[in-house]
Amino acid sequence: MLPWLLLLFPASIFAAETGKTHGVSPALLSRYVPSTVGSEKTWSCLNGSKTIPWAAVNDDYCDCPDGSDEPGTGACSNTVFYCQNEGHIGARIPSSRVRDGLCEPECCDGSDELPGVCKNTCKEVGAAYRAKVEEENKIRKTGAKIRSSYINFAQKEKSRLEEKIASLEKDISAQEKEVARLKDIADRTESLSAAALEQKKQSPLYQSFMTHVNALKSLQREHKKHLEREKILEDILDNLRSNYNPNYQDMAVLEAVRGWEAQAGLPHINDVGKDGASEEEEKAKAEEESQEELEPGMWSAGQLEYDLDNLLGTDYETLLLEHERHIGAPASGSDSILFDATAYIPDALLPQYVAVRSMLLSWLEALGLTHKAPSDAAADTSRAQQAAKEADNALGHIKQDKQKAQEELSRIFDPEWYGLEGEWKKLHGTCIDKDTGDYTYEVCFFEEAKQKPNKGGASHSLGRFSSWNDADGVTLGSTEYYSRMYYTRGTKCWNGPHRSATLLVSCGVENALLSVAEPEKCEYHFKITSPAACLPLETTKESRDEL
Amino acid sequence: MRDLTLLLLTLVALPAVFAVKSHDFKTCSQAGFCRRGRALAERAKENPSWKSPYSVDPSSVAIDSTTAAFTAGVKSSIYPEVKFGLDVRVHRDGVVRVRMDEIDGLRKRYDEAASWALVAEPEVSQDIQWTVAKDAVRAVYGDNKDIEVVVAYEPLRVTLLRNGKEQIVLNGEGLLHMEHFRTKEAVEQEKSGWALPEAPEEGLDLDDAQVVMQMNPRSWFEGAGDDALWEETFGSWTDSKPKGPESLSIDVNFPNHGHVYGIPQHATRLSLPTTSGEDAYYSDPYRLYNADVFEYLADSTMSLYGSIPVMHAHSADSTVAIFHAVGSETWIDVAHPKPSSTHTHWISESGIMDIFLMPGPTPADVFAQYARLTGTSALPAQWALGYHQCRWNYISSDDVRDVQTRFDEEDMPVDVFWLDIEYAEDHKYFIWDKKSFSDPVDMMHDVEEIQRKMVVIVDPHLKRTDSYPIYQQAKELDLLIKKKDGQEYEGWCWPGSSAWVDFFNPASWDWWKSLFKTVSDGDKWAWTESTENTYIWNDMNEPSIFNGPEISMPRDNIHYGGWEHRDVHNINGMLFHNMTTLAVMHRTDPPKRPFVLTRSFYAGSQRLSAMWTGDNLGTWEHMAVGVSMVLSLNVGGFSFSGSDVGGFFGNPEPEMLVRWYGVGAFSPFFRAHAHIDTKRREPYLLDEPYKSIVRDILRLRYSLLPVWYTAFREASVTGLPVVRPHYVVFPQDEGGFALDDQYFVGGSGLLVKPITSKDVTETTVYLPENEVYYDYFTGQTYRGAAKGKNVTVPAELHQIPLLIRGGSIIPTRERPRRSSPLMKYDPFTLRVALSTGGTARGELYLDEGETYAHREGQFIWREFEATTEGKKGKEIRVRSRNLAAQKPGEAVDGVALAAYDDKNDFARAMERVRVERIVLLGLAAKPKSVKAAGKDVDWEFKAGAAAASKAEGSASVLVVKDPHASITSDWDIIIQL
């Protein structure tokens, strides 16, 4: 491609006459006509700022402040050149590409360069273009068909959800009545016992008990904070261990890596892979070894993690009343072994035991395996309250269900979610992935994007769905809007941002993840195709013609 | 657990601040020979009767019968048994070379530094005569016999005088000391002799040290004389120093010069602040020891990536310079005993003394003298002056294509896309990582489509794996640098375990060159996955070695010829990039102009390469010091230099990035680069208004490419720098001697002051003369004064303070293009800025831009001139004349043409390129007519201040439209007032 060669001996260098309307787009053609003042032909710059001789139009010298006098020479910067491309479709190129010696692919008629420099290739280019468009249209057509099935799905979902909401509404009004009824009963019994209960609550045992409860809750809160912190630090150290540059021989870093490996029972990073044992195994082994012997009655870490919430969720008032009853009524044969066991349990463990027991009991009751023990008035109150509360809870659940369904329904056609036509609804939760060698990348639509190492190790979240392309200047619901999908706030990078992924969406007959790139540290670009992005041909016909 | 928690917390709490790891690098007090050298200077200062022990043996003086050279024996009174030899010669251009070496010593001192730095063996004068007197040898020369060089015998002292005034004095302070080779045993033996005084006199109240001092007859000069002679540790490294002490100390004084410049590379002011004496600005001497300093300081004497041991000394009276051809670590103390004089003290670890005294007396003379020694900056390929876009890393061939597309969509010019180390599989340079660069040649072809180039990195460390053909071959050919035990040296760098090619070994040269061929010659390995438009970036060539002492190579490593690394350390990086440059140049036949960017360099590097200031930080301080560093490199003869736009580390805010583009656009080498951890910051990613401002800056650079290219031509022939600090242009104007934040572009008359601080809306520009200066963009006039004057110039974010000196003609090309080769046939605009005297002058040099056809006469070199003529100055003529025909011998670098053929192919091809516009600033009145070739041409006139008047405000502007003037021919345009 050396059009220069052709330029070496041009016929006449200063007299390259250019047509006055060369490079003018069809819409402006009518304005490129001279006015005649006296014997002179003149012309006004398009913005009216200046009148120049007609001869100065397209004379390869920029006269007009708005650059409009040189549509065809590139003499005025920041203007637009139009090539007609007969046999193909017209195109606009910036003035910087006019007469630069390169034949612009956009101008197959070669009009962007001086005559004789570029061949007219519009016939071939036009044919190739049409073939390409046809090919694309084929994909578009197929894709659009699938897309319309997605839309159908969304419609069905809409009906289903609407029905569900209607039925939930009925359930709600029924349940509301039930709650009202039970509340009424509870209120009445409570008014009798409320005073008594208050009295009982003043017991030093209960007071101290509640203090313990609060302390335990606070401990739990702090514990959770520490766990989170530890996780972050573990991540940092894992990253440090696998990513530090051993070449710099920084003793402080090496020390930290070695220390962490010893603490976490990991093999030295440089030795990994040398023997058979995989890192995961080593880690598991180390964890096993570190299992300490528990004193009897002490909770294990697992219990702390999973059972403590239940324990703290105990209804202490009920417990108080049960306790009263327990103190008041010595053990009778009517209780099963479960009810009796308290007698054998050391006092220190009693509260926990009681809590667990009451929990067990309520499950047994719910399952119809046991019946509540006979009770006194206070217990009656508590039970009535319990019933009202449970009914109320149930109501809450139904309401939540309804709210969820409503939200789902509203999202179906919310442009910020599943699109104006709900075309993306079908794909919620659908996952696509790509194996790039070291990693497999996965994204589940509207949920999460992930990076999973193929050679083992923890996978990283690259973020959860946050929005479509909501950049400035992008119209909500436009094609451009759905050309990007953002997943943000993934696992934090060591010494960097939270990982995030941007899906670059284009039309394709399959939901597929084509490629993954990391143009900046911890910011990933997924190129994906989806039929949901295939607009039916008719809707975009106009915009194509404009090209 | 607690300990671990503490450790964790410490790690988390690590502040995210930038900081150099100072403890990785030596201070003078941590380098034995520097400590000894400074202690020597200290003893000299405290001893009023100090006298250098070195003297010339008058009987040994042997004057060459045909040339201005003599040799003489030198003795040291403290080591009378050791012989030294002195060799002094005067070159044809008056430069004096003074060499001293140890004769018949135990070993040989390294004496090849000059052979790598010099462009050729300098011609010794055959006219100048030495005359021998009782106490000295002297020579008087120069056109007016104004220069005299005196070599005094006792003590040895070399003085260069002009008009009887001392210019340069060697050993004036008596700090010359060449540590001779000795054995450890001999020293021990001698010491044991001192330690056993036969009969200590009773009653004398002397402590042990004094006893030793008393017994050691050399202690007045050498001190205890046993400091770190045989082994030295720094951090966890031990330098075995098998040759023992061999350092060299010499004082170089400029008794009548108050400013010294040069000895790059340091992040400091252009006019070097003091390091010793009262109220010294720095505490450590300037250090020259090529090193990869991570996150270097913006104000320090620490050594950086390259070293050029050349220093200018300047006063209103004269400019002189010295060049010390030494390749080992060198420390230089600078002091001003009084404001108008300068003392310097050079302390080197090894090597002979090989000092060139350049007599000047003007800056231009000094540049020419230095250029005759080490060569000029080669004329670069023209595209290399365009904008370079780099990042660590563009991650795939599609990424590169995408970056190119984005530039084109935004209509921002760019010439070169760069690939950093991640293109290479496992950092095995030349070997593409096919996972991300599956189609490298296609990718380059896509870049070439827009007449652009690519630059790809090739570092000097080779991954030590037999599956890497380059390493395998280097090993087989026995080309790798050795440890002191003769085994292959292994160090750590990007690829992990690595080895280094010894480019001092001539056997490596052809082998290295063969690697860059784009077509394979038989079964030889060649880089077939590159193209002739693939150019090279040589980084890490200090060499940078992650686990080495001071992040570099052990000094006791062995190079070709048995020299230790310490002897050649500062030269090492230059050999690598020189070989790469030659490889790139000769991969085609006929050769094409190469482009190789290097981080490490030495005197002479300018002949073949471009350099940048390494891994700077994204801070205002680094942006500012980048400007003075580039000026300092230009003083050191290395014109083709620049600093990374945006700062390598960190994420610059948009304002900072915009200002940095302003700095880059006025640097000889203009590249944006960014660290892998930074956010992407290609200019098209900026928001408005920043994006448009940067687009304008890029286009400004491109429109001024004719000015830059013309300046590079001049540099390539005369040695004058491409960017010129004030003292170079106005050597008599004291007010400009310390200026290093504003400078001139070549000889064009453009004066620029890039803004390098935040929130600036206006700035002060110093005008050194009684002349009118015009704002380049607005034509606003500023009037200077003979004694110098500060004027206030607007400097909002979208403005770059850029003035045209009255009396200049600036040729530009103002049609934005995507890349510089696409401007080849674009027309010119001439900005004629009339002086107060009504004249102006400018130059334009053009050639094909990529080949060496210019050395065969294929170029055009024009002079533009404006004069005011006629009675009452009513006629102004602007004309174009053929400079090439007037001075063919001075037109291009590398060859003196006997004649110029103005019908050469290039000139013929350019005939159709015209001057489309002449913008004349400062005309006294509206013209009555403007005629070209006797015919009226179109013009417009805007009234305003005349050059000759005292009026402020906008200058009058005459715009002449299309004066039918070809860029290749002579023409006259006549303006009648």
Side-chain angles (χ1 to χ4, degrees), chain A residues 4 13 96 104 247 523, chain B residues 411 492 679 818 825 912:
Chain A
W4 296 123
I13 50 164
S96 60
E104 295 309 310
N247 309 340
E523 294 183 19
Chain B
D411 221 353
W492 284 76
K679 301 287 292 173
R818 284 168 289 178
Y825 292 105
R912 72 189 184 90

Side-chain angles (χ1 to χ4, degrees), chain A residues 4 13 50 59-61 63 78 96-98 100 104 229 233 237 247 263 519-521 523, chain B residues 4 8-9 12 408 411 492-493 546 677 679-680 699 815 817-818 825 911-912 914 940 961:
Chain A
W4 296 123
I13 50 164
K50 199 169 168 186
D59 70 340
D60 204 15
Y61 181 89
D63 296 277
N78 301 326
S96 60
R97 303 186 191 184
V98 179
D100 64 353
E104 295 309 310
R229 196 178 172 79
L233 292 173
L237 285 169
N247 309 340
Q263 187 63 34
E520 282 167 38
K521 261 218 174 150
E523 294 183 19
Chain B
L4 182 66
L8 294 178
L9 289 174
V12 172
D408 288 344
D411 221 353
W492 284 76
C493 207
F546 295 153
D677 280 346
K679 301 287 292 173
R680 291 228 173 183
R699 289 180 172 187
R815 298 193 182 182
R817 297 293 184 199
R818 284 168 289 178
Y825 292 105
E911 262 170 24
R912 72 189 184 90
R914 65 205 164 98
E940 279 175 39
K961 170 178 172 175

Side-chain angles (χ1 to χ4, degrees), chain A residues 1-4 7-10 12-14 50 53 55-56 59-63 69-70 73-79 94-102 104-105 114 229-230 233-234 236-237 240 245-250 252 255-256 259-260 263 436-438 484 494-495 497 517-521 523 527, chain B residues 1 4 7-9 11-12 14 16 21 237 292 294 391 393 395-396 398-399 408-409 411 435 449-451 492-496 545-547 551 676-681 685 695 699 814-818 821-827 905 908-909 911-914 916-917 938 940 959-962 964-966:
Chain A
M1 248 283 261
L2 274 176
W4 296 123
L7 283 173
L8 282 177
F9 304 103
S12 165
I13 50 164
F14 295 127
K50 199 169 168 186
D59 70 340
D60 204 15
Y61 181 89
C62 193
D63 296 277
D69 62 308
E70 297 295 321
T73 65
C76 298
S77 35
N78 301 326
T79 61
S95 53
S96 60
R97 303 186 191 184
V98 179
R99 295 187 183 176
D100 64 353
L102 291 188
E104 295 309 310
L114 287 170
R229 196 178 172 79
E230 192 185 316
L233 292 173
E234 267 181 31
I236 291 173
L237 285 169
L240 175 69
N245 185 341
N247 309 340
Y248 271 115
Q249 299 285 329
D250 188 321
E255 203 69 355
W260 168 234
Q263 187 63 34
T436 63
D438 294 343
R484 278 164 184 255
W494 154 248
N495 208 4
E518 189 186 357
E520 282 167 38
K521 261 218 174 150
E523 294 183 19
K527 275 194 184 154
Chain B
M1 186 67 198
L4 182 66
L7 178 63
L8 294 178
L9 289 174
L11 276 177
V12 172
L14 274 178
K21 289 188 172 173
W237 293 277
D292 179 2
F294 182 73
R391 174 180 176 80
N393 222 107
I395 54 173
S396 65
D398 280 343
D399 193 9
D408 288 344
E409 282 170 358
D411 221 353
K435 274 194 289 228
E449 194 73 9
I450 316 296
Q451 310 244 327
W492 284 76
C493 207
W494 299 120
I545 298 172
F546 295 153
N547 63 340
I551 324 295
I676 195 164
D677 280 346
T678 61
K679 301 287 292 173
R680 291 228 173 183
R681 48 164 115 120
L685 293 170
R695 182 191 292 111
R699 289 180 172 187
E814 309 207 337
R815 298 193 182 182
R817 297 293 184 199
R818 284 168 289 178
L822 299 177
M823 305 171 83
K824 186 168 183 183
Y825 292 105
D826 280 343
D905 288 347
R908 291 239 307 267
E911 262 170 24
R912 72 189 184 90
V913 176
R914 65 205 164 98
E916 67 168 336
R917 186 189 296 114
D938 289 341
E940 279 175 39
V959 179
V960 180
K961 170 178 172 175
D962 198 2
H964 305 296
S966 163

Side-chain angles (χ1 to χ4, degrees), chain B residues 141-163:
Chain B
Y141 59 94
D143 290 342
N144 308 313
K145 297 283 172 222
D146 51 348
I147 300 177
E148 182 180 21
V149 56
V150 181
V151 179
Y153 294 163
E154 202 185 343
L156 169 61
R157 187 177 193 266
V158 181
T159 311
L160 183 86
L161 304 102
R162 197 169 69 91
N163 295 329

Side-chain angles (χ1 to χ4, degrees), chain B residues 575-863:
Chain B
L575 261 60
F576 173 57
H577 76 74
N578 274 359
M579 274 314 129
T580 308
T581 308
L582 292 173
V584 171
M585 188 193 293
H586 292 295
R587 70 184 164 192
T588 53
D589 185 24
K592 279 191 351 190
R593 280 182 239 173
F595 176 84
V596 171
L597 182 77
T598 180
R599 193 169 71 182
S600 186
F601 52 87
Y602 184 69
S605 281
Q606 75 275 7
R607 292 201 292 273
L608 291 166
S609 298
M611 64 73 63
W612 92 110
T613 62
D615 300 343
N616 58 354
L617 272 56
T619 64
W620 292 103
E621 291 75 22
H622 269 260
M623 192 195 303
V625 84
V627 173
S628 59
M629 287 170 82
V630 166
L631 289 177
S632 173
L633 282 152
N634 272 258
V635 167
F638 211 156
S639 276
F640 203 6
S641 52
S643 53
D644 280 342
V645 168
F648 180 60
F649 297 108
N651 292 308
E653 56 191 346
E655 179 190 349
M656 183 187 280
L657 193 54
V658 166
R659 291 300 198 189
W660 220 314
Y661 271 93
V663 171
F666 285 91
S667 299
F669 175 59
F670 182 16
R671 181 183 78 153
H673 185 34
H675 187 272
I676 195 164
D677 280 346
T678 61
K679 301 287 292 173
R680 291 228 173 183
R681 48 164 115 120
E682 288 67 29
Y684 51 73
L685 293 170
L686 284 165
D687 290 329
E688 292 295 356
Y690 308 105
K691 181 161 72 179
S692 290
I693 297 174
V694 172
R695 182 191 292 111
D696 288 345
I697 293 173
L698 291 171
R699 289 180 172 187
L700 175 65
R701 168 74 176 204
Y702 276 73
S703 68
L704 288 169
L705 283 178
V707 171
W708 286 102
Y709 200 52
T710 302
F712 268 96
R713 182 216 68 83
E714 186 174 13
S716 75
V717 175
T718 66
L720 274 167
V722 166
V723 288
R724 301 179 188 171
H726 267 257
Y727 85 90
V728 173
V729 184
F730 296 96
Q732 268 130 42
D733 179 46
E734 297 266 3
F737 292 172
L739 278 185
D740 55 12
D741 57 356
Q742 60 176 71
Y743 53 91
F744 293 85
V745 179
S748 68
L750 285 176
L751 171 62
V752 66
K753 180 172 184 180
I755 299 302
T756 56
S757 47
K758 199 173 158 54
D759 295 331
V760 172
T761 56
E762 59 179 36
T763 190
T764 308
V765 174
Y766 175 80
L767 301 182
E769 57 181 335
N770 180 18
E771 182 54 85
V772 59
Y773 280 68
Y774 303 87
D775 184 294
Y776 180 85
F777 306 97
T778 64
Q780 179 75 26
T781 57
Y782 298 95
R783 294 183 189 276
K787 284 183 177 169
K789 186 176 150 190
N790 285 312
V791 297
T792 302
V793 172
E796 303 271 357
L797 188 57
H798 65 283
Q799 295 167 319
I800 296 174
L802 175 63
L803 305 181
I804 313 176
R805 182 183 178 193
S808 312
I809 299 182
I810 313 285
T812 60
R813 283 174 146 165
E814 309 207 337
R815 298 193 182 182
R817 297 293 184 199
R818 284 168 289 178
S819 67
S820 66
L822 299 177
M823 305 171 83
K824 186 168 183 183
Y825 292 105
D826 280 343
F828 284 85
T829 293
L830 298 182
R831 266 186 190 68
V832 180
L834 290 178
S835 67
T836 51
T839 61
R841 189 192 170 278
E843 272 182 34
L844 173 69
Y845 173 81
L846 280 179
D847 63 23
E848 179 274 347
E850 284 198 58
T851 67
Y852 287 97
H854 63 299
R855 290 186 179 167
E856 285 149 26
Q858 306 262 338
F859 62 90
I860 64 170
W861 183 25
R862 308 293 308 178
E863 176 177 50

